[in-house]
């Protein structure tokens, strides 16, 4: 039984029947077995974008991840792209409606179409699923309600068996030779945690079908300085095709891989930032920081704009990350419980390709039914939020002479009349 069929077996409330995926062989898309097709309901998209998942398997089922950049793989990928166009034509939908193709960890495409066209595509025997393209949100790194849950709030180290600073590295595992794909809000490449100290090896060339170090779009935002990737930050891709087609870009946004609000830079530096980096904010010395895997190399995939991120763009980033050869994916985003999103399916085939994925469970716990998709599938590692009582202390002096102390990255903030 193929992967998507097994997945749907556990999600019967979402769709009635889903046909099994076929195999892709020698640049040809197999003929559909119509006897396996049942009724396929389609949920109307609130965004106007849909994701079409084909019956035929993606490339990673027959091609090793390391070989996805070869001419043979490129040819098979082109054949899958052509099959997407054919399905659109068979439903009388212009290929201009298609926004992007997926071929590596997901075989399908996204398209901006109306509900009737989505139903027509779902009726095609070569199509397995037609899903609404949802707008997901990045999971904040802060405690959403500010609660202090007492002594247990800062026991993560004890839970992990780490009772002192530096113990995570006593095993000698530093991430050497590992590439981490960070799917998030982009990255600020000049951050010192991503500096190349000259000791990291050159990375294998990345797929060149789209820009692999996308900075410097000063026409959209004059603050988007050019940057050349290095042996630490080996790639940075803007994966916002659907977002740009449906929403566009606000005047303050960077139309590039540059981080608009800092979340992606934060997660990338936490996962794989350089060791012993001097941390300063507003000129205040906050000590030295290190990423969990300081010798790992990073590829950043920007999938969130100011309004959120489309599932199709997230799936495209997973698809691209597998072709780029990452061993680990970190994704700090999601939505409501959803066992059958296109991103969840892409993570499944990424796992088959040997890619380990850590996905945010969200910050809505600890009550039941608060884990957001795609963290609610068993082939990813779901990571919940953790609160702690440590903070950077600052003071403010009131006009009556009283001094208040609280959390602040600015230190002494002066006098408030």
């Amino acid at each position: 039984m193929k992967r998507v069929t097994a997945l749907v077996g556990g999600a019967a409330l979402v769709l009635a029947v889903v046909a099994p995926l076929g195999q892709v062989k020698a640049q040809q898309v197999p003929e559909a077995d119509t006897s396996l097709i049942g009724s396929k309901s389609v949920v109307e998209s609130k965004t106007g974008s849909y994701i079409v998942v084909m019956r035929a398997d993606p490339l990673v089922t027959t091609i090793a991840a390391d070989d996805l950049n070869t001419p043979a793989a490129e040819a098979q990928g082109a054949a899958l792209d052509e099959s997407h166009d054919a399905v659109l034509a068979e439903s009388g939908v212009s290929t201009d409606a298609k926004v992007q193709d997926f071929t590596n960890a997901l075989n399908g495409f996204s398209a901006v179409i109306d509900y009737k066209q989505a139903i027509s595509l779902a009726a095609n025997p070569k199509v397995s699923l037609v899903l609404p393209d949802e707008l997901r949100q990045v999971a904040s790194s802060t405690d959403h309600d500010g609660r202090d849950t007492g002594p247990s709030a800062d026991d993560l180290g004890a839970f992990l068996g780490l009772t002192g600073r530096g113990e995570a590295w006593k095993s000698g595992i530093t991430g050497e030779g590992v590439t981490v794909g960070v799917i998030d809000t982009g990255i600020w490449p000049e951050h010192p945690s991503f500096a190349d100290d000259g000791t990291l090896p050159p990375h294998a060339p990345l797929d060149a079908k789209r820009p692999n170090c996308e900075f410097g779009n000063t026409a959209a935002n004059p603050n988007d300085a050019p940057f050349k990737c290095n042996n630490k930050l080996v790639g940075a891709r803007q994966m916002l095709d659907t977002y740009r087609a449906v929403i566009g870009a606000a005047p303050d946004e960077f139309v590039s891989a540059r981080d608009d609000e800092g979340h992606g830079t934060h997660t990338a530096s936490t996962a794989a930032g350089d060791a012993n980096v001097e941390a300063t904010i507003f000129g205040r010395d906050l000590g030295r920081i290190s990423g969990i895997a300081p010798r790992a190399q990073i590829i950043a995939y920007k999938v969130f704009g100011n309004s959120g991120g489309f599932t199709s763009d997230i799936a495209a980033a997973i698809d691209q990350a597998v072709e780029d050869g990452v061993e680990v994916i970190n994704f700090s985003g999601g939505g409501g419980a959803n066992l059958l999103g296109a991103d969840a399916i892409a993570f499944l085939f990424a796992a088959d390709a040997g890619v380990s994925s850590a996905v945010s469970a969200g910050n809505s716990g600890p009550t039941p039914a608060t884990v957001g998709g795609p963290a609610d599938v068993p082939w990813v590692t779901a990571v919940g939020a953790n609160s702690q009582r440590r903070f950077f202390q600052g003071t403010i002096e009131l006009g009556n002479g009283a001094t208040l102390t609280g959390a602040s990255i600015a230190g002494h903030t002066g006098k408030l009349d």
Side-chain angles (χ1 to χ4, degrees):
M1 182 178 293
K2 294 299 178 186
R3 287 291 194 184
V4 170
T5 306
L7 183 62
V8 173
L13 296 179
V14 180
L15 294 172
V17 178
V18 178
L21 298 179
Q23 291 287 339
V24 178
K25 296 180 180 179
Q27 305 179 32
Q28 294 184 352
V29 178
E31 292 294 325
D33 183 352
T34 56
S35 66
L36 298 176
I37 302 297
S39 61
K40 292 175 284 186
S41 60
V42 179
V43 176
E44 187 170 4
S45 172
K46 297 179 181 179
T47 66
S49 177
Y50 290 84
I51 301 171
V52 178
V53 181
M54 304 291 286
R55 286 190 63 234
D57 283 347
L59 297 182
V60 293
T61 61
T62 56
I63 300 174
D66 291 343
D67 295 329
L68 289 173
N69 271 329
T70 62
E74 296 283 350
Q76 291 194 39
L80 293 183
D81 290 347
E82 292 175 2
S83 74
H84 305 162
D85 292 345
V87 164
L88 285 166
E90 289 165 13
S91 294
V93 181
S94 170
T95 55
D96 291 341
K98 185 177 67 172
V99 177
Q100 53 193 331
D101 293 285
F102 320 114
T103 59
N104 299 304
L106 183 71
N107 178 21
F109 59 93
S110 69
V112 178
I113 54 179
D114 61 36
Y115 186 45
K116 288 184 179 179
Q117 290 172 321
I119 293 174
S120 176
L121 285 167
N124 192 308
K126 298 174 185 176
V127 171
S128 182
L129 302 168
V130 177
L131 302 170
D133 197 355
E134 299 175 335
L135 194 62
R136 299 183 180 274
Q137 300 299 321
V138 69
S140 172
S141 59
T142 59
D143 189 0
H144 67 99
D145 58 7
R147 293 175 302 156
D148 182 358
T149 56
S152 63
D154 198 17
D155 64 355
L156 181 61
F159 174 77
L160 296 174
L162 306 173
T163 57
R165 291 187 177 185
E167 290 200 5
W169 298 288
K170 284 186 176 179
S171 64
I173 298 175
T174 62
E176 186 80 40
V178 174
T179 303
V180 179
V182 180
I183 300 176
D184 213 293
T185 62
I187 197 164
W188 199 265
E190 295 88 358
H191 192 288
S193 288
F194 314 127
D196 183 357
D197 67 0
T199 66
L200 290 167
H203 195 275
L206 302 183
D207 164 53
K209 289 192 291 292
R210 65 166 67 225
N212 55 36
C213 188
E214 195 171 357
F215 300 106
N217 187 352
T218 55
N221 189 322
N223 295 317
D224 190 6
F227 183 88
K228 184 178 180 180
C229 288
N230 53 45
N231 290 336
K232 179 62 179 181
L233 179 60
V234 298
R237 300 184 184 272
Q238 178 184 206
M239 308 295 297
L240 287 165
D241 293 10
T242 300
Y243 187 95
R244 300 297 184 217
V246 176
I247 295 178
D252 65 314
E253 286 188 79
F254 295 109
V255 185
S256 71
R258 188 172 289 277
D259 197 346
D260 289 305
E261 57 101 82
H263 192 279
T265 302
H266 165 71
T267 55
S269 62
T270 301
D274 288 334
N276 298 316
V277 174
E278 292 285 352
T280 59
I281 302 178
F282 300 143
R284 185 182 181 189
D285 185 2
L286 300 177
R288 293 178 179 269
I289 59 173
S290 297
I292 299 299
R295 294 289 296 174
Q297 294 168 296
I298 299 169
I299 304 176
Y301 302 88
K302 182 177 177 177
V303 299
F304 291 103
N306 284 358
S307 298
F310 282 85
T311 306
S312 59
D313 289 336
I314 297 165
I318 300 166
D319 196 70
Q320 184 66 63
V322 172
E323 183 165 359
D324 287 339
V326 307
E327 287 87 10
V328 176
I329 290 175
N330 184 88
F331 175 58
S332 298
N338 183 359
L339 295 176
L340 203 61
D343 47 1
I345 299 172
F347 276 126
L348 174 63
F349 284 105
D352 284 347
V355 179
S356 176
S357 299
V359 179
S360 169
N363 296 346
S364 299
T367 55
T370 53
V371 176
D376 50 3
V377 294
W379 46 87
V380 302
T381 300
V383 182
N386 178 64
S387 59
Q388 44 85 20
R389 294 167 296 176
R390 293 167 292 176
F391 64 93
F392 297 117
Q393 181 174 300
T395 60
I396 188 168
E397 183 180 348
L398 303 183
N400 62 5
T403 299
L404 301 179
T405 299
S408 173
I409 59 175
H412 182 72
T413 57
K415 187 174 182 178
L416 182 65
D417 293 327

